[in-house]
Amino acid sequence: MHAMSSSTAAGDVVVEPVAGWRVWRLTSVDGEVRLAAVARGSVWPPLRPMGASCPQHAEGEVPGADCMCGLYAASTLRALARAGVLANRHVGVVGSIEMWGRVVEHDRGTRSAIAYPSRLRLVCGPCMADRRGPVAPVEVVARGADLAPVCARHLGPGERGRPAAEVEQELLGAYAVEVLPAQTAVAGLRPRRGAAPILRLLDALPRIPERFRSVARAAVAVVTVLALAVALSTLRRPEPVRPVPPLASSAGSSHVESNRGGTGLAPSVPQQHQLPILCGVVEAGVIQRTACRAGQADAVGFPSSPAAPRSSCDGESEVYTRGGGRSVCWLVVAWKLAELEAR
């Protein structure tokens, strides 16, 4: 863990355990799952306390008040998140610990001489680093010296491991501790706002082919943007709808460029004069304008005038059109995107 602010005690010896929160990597020792410190890599032994050591202090003087030695823990899950340790993508376990012996208290946590875990939970480290919260992993895969609990989103192509639920039970049994409730983890390590909760539910669905997950994410994004467009349209009286020529890849004054590999979220707004959000339907390989209230749109456009380059879509949009002095970054549902690319 990162260093905490100045201590409020010079190193008291306590008998009653002091509670704290920390994270670990998940590793394997002789085929058995074990907890390992994220920074130093030291393995926490099962069924006996973990002891701190320091080359600058004798055993009875660890942790030193004038040193950074000791076993670290945050006072709350919120303090743990603010410490920055969740940005490490190798994190695989979050949990509470009990500390005793010589302790040094800080504003947001404690350093101790002895500690042992009390509750543990496997989490997807990449999701934690991406601020998606404590997403439940579906599998535990071997990556180098580590065992990486990952959700379906971060499971590599062809990568297979053991069911995460099975590994978690093995870990709890090895250390003879209880599982950290999901409600406690989510409440303390809140994900970022927006579509993350919906996407986490999709990612947690095990063994769904990637093409179906991509379709689902694209559908969620389109529905979200359409709902926003409808909400905005109720704030002011819409202007009369004038016929708009279709934006087609075959038109001489416009062209369509596909940009596969996007995340399925709405593109960043180009640094140009922004027009209202457009809605469209894909018919015969072209995008036709339609009213956003029609309920039939399968494409959402973010126009700019004057026309901006395709790079203004920031790789998030799947289709780029240009013509008539403006450009549009389109988000198209996956099953219609193939129809555009066929032209």
Side-chain angles (χ1 to χ4, degrees):
M1 290 181 60
H2 292 181
M4 292 175 277
S5 57
S6 60
S7 62
T8 59
D12 299 325
V13 176
V14 300
V15 178
E16 291 295 328
V18 177
W21 298 88
R22 62 172 292 131
V23 293
W24 295 267
R25 291 185 299 108
L26 192 65
T27 190
S28 176
V29 177
D30 297 330
E32 302 292 334
V33 291
R34 293 290 184 265
L35 298 172
V38 174
R40 298 181 181 274
S42 53
V43 176
W44 283 51
L47 304 180
R48 62 186 177 89
M50 178 70 174
S53 61
C54 178
Q56 301 181 17
H57 294 88
E59 182 177 351
E61 298 176 350
V62 178
D66 58 347
C67 185
M68 300 309 296
C69 58
L71 301 173
Y72 279 68
S75 56
T76 65
L77 280 172
R78 292 289 184 84
L80 181 67
R82 289 195 294 267
V85 295
L86 303 183
N88 191 317
R89 303 179 75 85
H90 296 288
V91 168
V93 185
V94 63
S96 59
I97 66 173
E98 294 182 345
M99 302 170 287
W100 63 96
R102 184 180 175 89
V103 300
V104 177
E105 294 185 354
H106 295 257
D107 293 341
R108 290 178 291 180
T110 305
R111 290 183 291 133
S112 69
I114 305 171
Y116 193 79
S118 56
R119 292 180 296 174
L120 300 172
R121 186 173 193 84
L122 297 190
V123 294
C124 176
C127 283
M128 295 282 282
D130 294 340
R131 295 167 53 203
R132 296 168 65 87
V135 175
V138 296
E139 291 199 18
V140 176
V141 297
R143 292 180 178 175
D146 290 344
L147 297 176
V150 290
C151 66
R153 174 186 178 89
H154 293 105
L155 189 64
E159 197 174 30
R160 288 292 179 266
R162 294 176 57 194
E166 176 183 308
V167 176
E168 184 175 75
Q169 288 302 315
E170 182 179 328
L171 180 69
L172 297 176
Y175 287 86
V177 297
E178 297 180 351
V179 66
L180 176 67
Q183 300 90 327
T184 302
V186 172
L189 303 174
R190 292 180 180 176
R192 63 183 178 186
R193 297 183 179 182
I198 299 176
L199 294 176
R200 283 203 315 275
L201 291 175
L202 293 173
D203 294 336
L205 297 175
R207 301 188 181 280
I208 293 181
E210 179 61 31
R211 64 181 182 274
F212 295 134
R213 293 203 302 272
S214 299
V215 168
R217 293 191 190 100
V220 169
V222 170
V223 170
T224 301
V225 175
L226 285 176
L228 176 61
V230 172
L232 290 176
S233 67
T234 62
L235 298 179
R236 62 179 182 178
R237 187 179 182 85
E239 298 179 358
V241 179
R242 297 182 176 85
V244 178
L247 298 173
S249 58
S250 59
S253 61
S254 64
H255 58 280
V256 175
E257 298 182 23
S258 175
N259 185 22
R260 296 302 298 270
T263 62
L265 300 178
S268 301
V269 178
Q271 298 300 316
Q272 301 283 327
H273 175 64
Q274 295 302 303
L275 302 175
I277 294 176
L278 303 178
C279 294
V281 294
V282 178
E283 295 179 355
V286 299
I287 300 177
Q288 304 272 3
R289 279 281 306 278
T290 186
C292 291
R293 293 184 177 181
Q296 299 176 346
D298 44 37
V300 181
F302 301 82
S304 293
S305 181
R310 183 177 62 174
S311 59
S312 65
C313 296
D314 290 339
E316 303 287 355
S317 181
E318 294 171 326
V319 173
Y320 169 86
T321 63
R322 181 169 179 164
R326 72 175 180 183
S327 61
V328 183
C329 299
W330 291 93
L331 179 66
V332 184
V333 294
W335 57 85
K336 287 290 186 178
L337 185 59
E339 184 177 331
L340 286 173
E341 291 183 329
R343 285 184 63 90

